[in-house]
mmCIF file of all heavy atoms in Angstrom:
data_model
loop_
_atom_site.group_PDB
_atom_site.id
_atom_site.type_symbol
_atom_site.label_atom_id
_atom_site.label_comp_id
_atom_site.label_asym_id
_atom_site.label_seq_id
_atom_site.Cartn_x
_atom_site.Cartn_y
_atom_site.Cartn_z
ATOM 1 N N TRP A 1 -45.531 158.735 -55.567
ATOM 2 C CA TRP A 1 -46.354 159.662 -54.788
ATOM 3 C C TRP A 1 -46.649 160.931 -55.577
ATOM 4 O O TRP A 1 -47.700 161.552 -55.389
ATOM 5 C CB TRP A 1 -45.731 159.988 -53.431
ATOM 6 C CG TRP A 1 -44.486 160.820 -53.459
ATOM 7 C CD1 TRP A 1 -43.204 160.371 -53.425
ATOM 8 C CD2 TRP A 1 -44.411 162.255 -53.538
ATOM 9 N NE1 TRP A 1 -42.326 161.438 -53.481
ATOM 10 C CE2 TRP A 1 -43.041 162.600 -53.548
ATOM 11 C CE3 TRP A 1 -45.349 163.280 -53.605
ATOM 12 C CZ2 TRP A 1 -42.596 163.913 -53.622
ATOM 13 C CZ3 TRP A 1 -44.903 164.591 -53.673
ATOM 14 C CH2 TRP A 1 -43.549 164.900 -53.679
ATOM 15 N N ILE A 2 -45.736 161.329 -56.461
ATOM 16 C CA ILE A 2 -45.945 162.537 -57.264
ATOM 17 C C ILE A 2 -47.106 162.328 -58.223
ATOM 18 O O ILE A 2 -47.954 163.199 -58.394
ATOM 19 C CB ILE A 2 -44.645 162.939 -57.996
ATOM 20 C CG1 ILE A 2 -43.662 163.526 -56.976
ATOM 21 C CG2 ILE A 2 -44.925 163.918 -59.139
ATOM 22 C CD1 ILE A 2 -42.302 163.903 -57.535
ATOM 23 N N ARG A 3 -47.157 161.169 -58.830
ATOM 24 C CA ARG A 3 -48.288 160.867 -59.727
ATOM 25 C C ARG A 3 -49.606 160.871 -58.948
ATOM 26 O O ARG A 3 -50.613 161.346 -59.433
ATOM 27 C CB ARG A 3 -48.076 159.528 -60.420
ATOM 28 C CG ARG A 3 -46.942 159.548 -61.422
ATOM 29 C CD ARG A 3 -46.948 158.273 -62.258
ATOM 30 N NE ARG A 3 -45.740 158.125 -63.018
ATOM 31 C CZ ARG A 3 -45.418 158.813 -64.106
ATOM 32 N NH1 ARG A 3 -46.231 159.739 -64.552
ATOM 33 N NH2 ARG A 3 -44.295 158.580 -64.742
ATOM 34 N N ASP A 4 -49.572 160.334 -57.711
ATOM 35 C CA ASP A 4 -50.783 160.313 -56.876
ATOM 36 C C ASP A 4 -51.238 161.730 -56.544
ATOM 37 O O ASP A 4 -52.420 162.057 -56.685
ATOM 38 C CB ASP A 4 -50.531 159.535 -55.581
ATOM 39 C CG ASP A 4 -50.289 158.053 -55.810
ATOM 40 O OD1 ASP A 4 -50.624 157.545 -56.905
ATOM 41 O OD2 ASP A 4 -49.741 157.405 -54.898
ATOM 42 N N VAL A 5 -50.303 162.570 -56.101
ATOM 43 C CA VAL A 5 -50.621 163.951 -55.729
ATOM 44 C C VAL A 5 -51.122 164.728 -56.940
ATOM 45 O O VAL A 5 -52.043 165.542 -56.830
ATOM 46 C CB VAL A 5 -49.390 164.647 -55.100
ATOM 47 C CG1 VAL A 5 -49.575 166.149 -55.004
ATOM 48 C CG2 VAL A 5 -49.089 164.053 -53.734
ATOM 49 N N ALA A 6 -50.521 164.470 -58.091
ATOM 50 C CA ALA A 6 -50.842 165.238 -59.295
ATOM 51 C C ALA A 6 -51.978 164.615 -60.103
ATOM 52 O O ALA A 6 -52.245 165.062 -61.220
ATOM 53 C CB ALA A 6 -49.590 165.369 -60.163
ATOM 54 N N GLY A 7 -52.640 163.604 -59.563
ATOM 55 C CA GLY A 7 -53.751 162.992 -60.271
ATOM 56 C C GLY A 7 -53.328 162.212 -61.512
ATOM 57 O O GLY A 7 -54.074 162.122 -62.480
ATOM 58 N N GLY A 8 -52.122 161.664 -61.477
ATOM 59 C CA GLY A 8 -51.652 160.841 -62.588
ATOM 60 C C GLY A 8 -50.906 161.591 -63.674
ATOM 61 O O GLY A 8 -50.196 161.004 -64.471
ATOM 62 N N LYS A 9 -51.093 162.898 -63.715
ATOM 63 C CA LYS A 9 -50.423 163.701 -64.736
ATOM 64 C C LYS A 9 -49.672 164.840 -64.051
ATOM 65 O O LYS A 9 -50.181 165.454 -63.136
ATOM 66 C CB LYS A 9 -51.427 164.263 -65.732
ATOM 67 C CG LYS A 9 -52.126 163.184 -66.513
ATOM 68 C CD LYS A 9 -53.059 163.764 -67.532
ATOM 69 C CE LYS A 9 -53.743 162.616 -68.271
ATOM 70 N NZ LYS A 9 -54.648 163.080 -69.281
ATOM 71 N N ILE A 10 -48.494 165.101 -64.544
ATOM 72 C CA ILE A 10 -47.667 166.141 -63.934
ATOM 73 C C ILE A 10 -47.961 167.463 -64.656
ATOM 74 O O ILE A 10 -47.285 167.836 -65.596
ATOM 75 C CB ILE A 10 -46.169 165.789 -64.046
ATOM 76 C CG1 ILE A 10 -45.900 164.346 -63.650
ATOM 77 C CG2 ILE A 10 -45.332 166.758 -63.229
ATOM 78 C CD1 ILE A 10 -46.362 163.954 -62.279
ATOM 79 N N ARG A 11 -48.992 168.135 -64.197
ATOM 80 C CA ARG A 11 -49.360 169.414 -64.808
ATOM 81 C C ARG A 11 -49.215 170.571 -63.838
ATOM 82 O O ARG A 11 -48.749 171.627 -64.204
ATOM 83 C CB ARG A 11 -50.794 169.363 -65.329
ATOM 84 C CG ARG A 11 -50.927 168.484 -66.529
ATOM 85 C CD ARG A 11 -52.265 168.684 -67.183
ATOM 86 N NE ARG A 11 -52.349 167.825 -68.355
ATOM 87 C CZ ARG A 11 -53.430 167.229 -68.748
ATOM 88 N NH1 ARG A 11 -54.557 167.404 -68.105
ATOM 89 N NH2 ARG A 11 -53.409 166.465 -69.812
ATOM 90 N N ASN A 12 -49.668 170.354 -62.619
ATOM 91 C CA ASN A 12 -49.609 171.420 -61.637
ATOM 92 C C ASN A 12 -48.469 171.139 -60.659
ATOM 93 O O ASN A 12 -48.645 170.479 -59.637
ATOM 94 C CB ASN A 12 -50.935 171.552 -60.888
ATOM 95 C CG ASN A 12 -50.954 172.775 -59.999
ATOM 96 O OD1 ASN A 12 -49.919 173.326 -59.633
ATOM 97 N ND2 ASN A 12 -52.146 173.207 -59.624
ATOM 98 N N ILE A 13 -47.304 171.664 -60.992
ATOM 99 C CA ILE A 13 -46.125 171.412 -60.181
ATOM 100 C C ILE A 13 -46.291 172.010 -58.784
ATOM 101 O O ILE A 13 -45.766 171.471 -57.817
ATOM 102 C CB ILE A 13 -44.871 171.930 -60.907
ATOM 103 C CG1 ILE A 13 -44.636 171.038 -62.115
ATOM 104 C CG2 ILE A 13 -43.664 171.954 -60.001
ATOM 105 C CD1 ILE A 13 -43.499 171.442 -62.987
ATOM 106 N N GLN A 14 -47.057 173.092 -58.665
ATOM 107 C CA GLN A 14 -47.237 173.711 -57.352
ATOM 108 C C GLN A 14 -47.899 172.753 -56.368
ATOM 109 O O GLN A 14 -47.570 172.755 -55.186
ATOM 110 C CB GLN A 14 -48.042 175.009 -57.468
ATOM 111 C CG GLN A 14 -47.999 175.837 -56.192
ATOM 112 C CD GLN A 14 -46.582 176.248 -55.817
ATOM 113 O OE1 GLN A 14 -45.844 176.798 -56.625
ATOM 114 N NE2 GLN A 14 -46.187 175.986 -54.578
ATOM 115 N N LEU A 15 -48.814 171.890 -56.827
ATOM 116 C CA LEU A 15 -49.419 170.879 -55.941
ATOM 117 C C LEU A 15 -48.344 169.959 -55.372
ATOM 118 O O LEU A 15 -48.375 169.609 -54.191
ATOM 119 C CB LEU A 15 -50.433 170.027 -56.713
ATOM 120 C CG LEU A 15 -51.806 170.616 -56.978
ATOM 121 C CD1 LEU A 15 -52.619 169.666 -57.849
ATOM 122 C CD2 LEU A 15 -52.531 170.882 -55.675
ATOM 123 N N ILE A 16 -47.399 169.565 -56.220
ATOM 124 C CA ILE A 16 -46.306 168.691 -55.800
ATOM 125 C C ILE A 16 -45.433 169.407 -54.777
ATOM 126 O O ILE A 16 -45.095 168.857 -53.732
ATOM 127 C CB ILE A 16 -45.492 168.243 -57.019
ATOM 128 C CG1 ILE A 16 -46.379 167.418 -57.965
ATOM 129 C CG2 ILE A 16 -44.238 167.476 -56.608
ATOM 130 C CD1 ILE A 16 -45.829 167.250 -59.355
ATOM 131 N N PHE A 17 -45.080 170.655 -55.069
ATOM 132 C CA PHE A 17 -44.234 171.429 -54.165
ATOM 133 C C PHE A 17 -44.920 171.646 -52.818
ATOM 134 O O PHE A 17 -44.299 171.500 -51.768
ATOM 135 C CB PHE A 17 -43.864 172.773 -54.784
ATOM 136 C CG PHE A 17 -42.942 172.679 -55.982
ATOM 137 C CD1 PHE A 17 -42.613 173.823 -56.675
ATOM 138 C CD2 PHE A 17 -42.421 171.478 -56.427
ATOM 139 C CE1 PHE A 17 -41.760 173.770 -57.772
ATOM 140 C CE2 PHE A 17 -41.575 171.402 -57.519
ATOM 141 C CZ PHE A 17 -41.239 172.562 -58.190
ATOM 142 N N ASP A 18 -46.206 171.981 -52.838
ATOM 143 C CA ASP A 18 -46.950 172.192 -51.595
ATOM 144 C C ASP A 18 -46.993 170.910 -50.752
ATOM 145 O O ASP A 18 -46.831 170.949 -49.536
ATOM 146 C CB ASP A 18 -48.376 172.677 -51.883
ATOM 147 C CG ASP A 18 -48.420 174.093 -52.434
ATOM 148 O OD1 ASP A 18 -47.398 174.822 -52.364
ATOM 149 O OD2 ASP A 18 -49.491 174.472 -52.973
ATOM 150 N N HIS A 19 -47.223 169.784 -51.418
ATOM 151 C CA HIS A 19 -47.250 168.496 -50.717
ATOM 152 C C HIS A 19 -45.895 168.218 -50.058
ATOM 153 O O HIS A 19 -45.836 167.810 -48.889
ATOM 154 C CB HIS A 19 -47.602 167.372 -51.700
ATOM 155 C CG HIS A 19 -47.580 166.020 -51.077
ATOM 156 N ND1 HIS A 19 -48.673 165.473 -50.452
ATOM 157 C CD2 HIS A 19 -46.586 165.097 -50.962
ATOM 158 C CE1 HIS A 19 -48.358 164.286 -49.986
ATOM 159 N NE2 HIS A 19 -47.099 164.032 -50.281
ATOM 160 N N ALA A 20 -44.816 168.447 -50.791
ATOM 161 C CA ALA A 20 -43.477 168.188 -50.257
ATOM 162 C C ALA A 20 -43.203 169.050 -49.027
ATOM 163 O O ALA A 20 -42.676 168.563 -48.020
ATOM 164 C CB ALA A 20 -42.424 168.427 -51.329
ATOM 165 N N LYS A 21 -43.557 170.321 -49.094
ATOM 166 C CA LYS A 21 -43.320 171.220 -47.958
ATOM 167 C C LYS A 21 -44.162 170.828 -46.741
ATOM 168 O O LYS A 21 -43.722 170.956 -45.607
ATOM 169 C CB LYS A 21 -43.636 172.665 -48.346
ATOM 170 C CG LYS A 21 -42.595 173.287 -49.241
ATOM 171 C CD LYS A 21 -42.984 174.697 -49.598
ATOM 172 C CE LYS A 21 -41.972 175.331 -50.527
ATOM 173 N NZ LYS A 21 -42.358 176.689 -50.921
ATOM 174 N N LYS A 22 -45.375 170.344 -46.983
ATOM 175 C CA LYS A 22 -46.293 170.039 -45.884
ATOM 176 C C LYS A 22 -46.042 168.664 -45.258
ATOM 177 O O LYS A 22 -46.128 168.514 -44.041
ATOM 178 C CB LYS A 22 -47.739 170.122 -46.389
ATOM 179 C CG LYS A 22 -48.774 169.958 -45.311
ATOM 180 C CD LYS A 22 -50.171 170.235 -45.827
ATOM 181 C CE LYS A 22 -51.192 170.130 -44.708
ATOM 182 N NZ LYS A 22 -52.551 170.396 -45.190
ATOM 183 N N TYR A 23 -45.732 167.668 -46.084
ATOM 184 C CA TYR A 23 -45.690 166.296 -45.593
ATOM 185 C C TYR A 23 -44.317 165.623 -45.609
ATOM 186 O O TYR A 23 -44.176 164.533 -45.046
ATOM 187 C CB TYR A 23 -46.651 165.416 -46.398
ATOM 188 C CG TYR A 23 -48.084 165.853 -46.293
ATOM 189 C CD1 TYR A 23 -48.722 166.462 -47.370
ATOM 190 C CD2 TYR A 23 -48.792 165.681 -45.108
ATOM 191 C CE1 TYR A 23 -50.035 166.881 -47.278
ATOM 192 C CE2 TYR A 23 -50.119 166.093 -45.008
ATOM 193 C CZ TYR A 23 -50.738 166.688 -46.092
ATOM 194 O OH TYR A 23 -52.030 167.101 -45.997
ATOM 195 N N MET A 24 -43.341 166.221 -46.244
ATOM 196 C CA MET A 24 -42.080 165.501 -46.434
ATOM 197 C C MET A 24 -40.910 166.045 -45.613
ATOM 198 O O MET A 24 -39.796 165.548 -45.731
ATOM 199 C CB MET A 24 -41.729 165.471 -47.921
ATOM 200 C CG MET A 24 -42.790 164.727 -48.713
ATOM 201 S SD MET A 24 -42.396 164.552 -50.426
ATOM 202 C CE MET A 24 -41.107 163.317 -50.318
ATOM 203 N N VAL A 25 -41.161 167.023 -44.780
ATOM 204 C CA VAL A 25 -40.099 167.536 -43.918
ATOM 205 C C VAL A 25 -40.097 166.671 -42.655
ATOM 206 O O VAL A 25 -40.537 167.073 -41.584
ATOM 207 C CB VAL A 25 -40.297 169.035 -43.591
ATOM 208 C CG1 VAL A 25 -39.141 169.548 -42.739
ATOM 209 C CG2 VAL A 25 -40.413 169.851 -44.859
ATOM 210 N N THR A 26 -39.618 165.432 -42.850
ATOM 211 C CA THR A 26 -39.539 164.465 -41.759
ATOM 212 C C THR A 26 -38.110 163.942 -41.685
ATOM 213 O O THR A 26 -37.372 163.977 -42.673
ATOM 214 C CB THR A 26 -40.487 163.274 -41.989
ATOM 215 O OG1 THR A 26 -40.046 162.550 -43.136
ATOM 216 C CG2 THR A 26 -41.937 163.736 -42.179
ATOM 217 N N GLU A 27 -37.750 163.443 -40.524
ATOM 218 C CA GLU A 27 -36.403 162.912 -40.347
ATOM 219 C C GLU A 27 -36.125 161.786 -41.353
ATOM 220 O O GLU A 27 -35.064 161.740 -41.979
ATOM 221 C CB GLU A 27 -36.229 162.404 -38.920
ATOM 222 C CG GLU A 27 -34.834 161.940 -38.609
ATOM 223 C CD GLU A 27 -34.678 161.526 -37.160
ATOM 224 O OE1 GLU A 27 -35.369 162.081 -36.287
ATOM 225 O OE2 GLU A 27 -33.837 160.634 -36.911
ATOM 226 N N GLY A 28 -37.083 160.888 -41.526
ATOM 227 C CA GLY A 28 -36.902 159.769 -42.443
ATOM 228 C C GLY A 28 -36.731 160.220 -43.886
ATOM 229 O O GLY A 28 -35.876 159.699 -44.612
ATOM 230 N N ASN A 29 -37.516 161.185 -44.302
ATOM 231 C CA ASN A 29 -37.405 161.651 -45.685
ATOM 232 C C ASN A 29 -36.120 162.444 -45.899
ATOM 233 O O ASN A 29 -35.494 162.336 -46.953
ATOM 234 C CB ASN A 29 -38.618 162.482 -46.090
ATOM 235 C CG ASN A 29 -38.617 162.730 -47.574
ATOM 236 O OD1 ASN A 29 -38.704 161.800 -48.365
ATOM 237 N ND2 ASN A 29 -38.455 163.976 -47.961
ATOM 238 N N ILE A 30 -35.726 163.223 -44.911
ATOM 239 C CA ILE A 30 -34.472 163.977 -45.054
ATOM 240 C C ILE A 30 -33.299 163.008 -45.146
ATOM 241 O O ILE A 30 -32.361 163.236 -45.912
ATOM 242 C CB ILE A 30 -34.326 165.018 -43.934
ATOM 243 C CG1 ILE A 30 -35.366 166.131 -44.151
ATOM 244 C CG2 ILE A 30 -32.911 165.592 -43.893
ATOM 245 C CD1 ILE A 30 -35.467 167.153 -43.046
ATOM 246 N N LYS A 31 -33.360 161.886 -44.455
ATOM 247 C CA LYS A 31 -32.317 160.860 -44.601
ATOM 248 C C LYS A 31 -32.310 160.309 -46.035
ATOM 249 O O LYS A 31 -31.247 160.037 -46.595
ATOM 250 C CB LYS A 31 -32.518 159.738 -43.590
ATOM 251 C CG LYS A 31 -32.160 160.142 -42.167
ATOM 252 C CD LYS A 31 -32.187 158.961 -41.237
ATOM 253 C CE LYS A 31 -31.945 159.328 -39.799
ATOM 254 N NZ LYS A 31 -30.820 160.158 -39.514
ATOM 255 N N LYS A 32 -33.491 160.166 -46.638
ATOM 256 C CA LYS A 32 -33.560 159.720 -48.046
ATOM 257 C C LYS A 32 -32.931 160.761 -48.968
ATOM 258 O O LYS A 32 -32.237 160.418 -49.921
ATOM 259 C CB LYS A 32 -35.010 159.468 -48.462
ATOM 260 C CG LYS A 32 -35.627 158.240 -47.872
ATOM 261 C CD LYS A 32 -37.071 158.094 -48.313
ATOM 262 C CE LYS A 32 -37.765 156.988 -47.538
ATOM 263 N NZ LYS A 32 -39.196 156.917 -47.851
#
């Protein structure tokens, strides 16, 4: 998913961080 969010290249870490804060604060992900 990080490659998808970052367009295949990990250059803009802030995009990854923003995605995690917005979409990954879920019960299922916190269990992971």
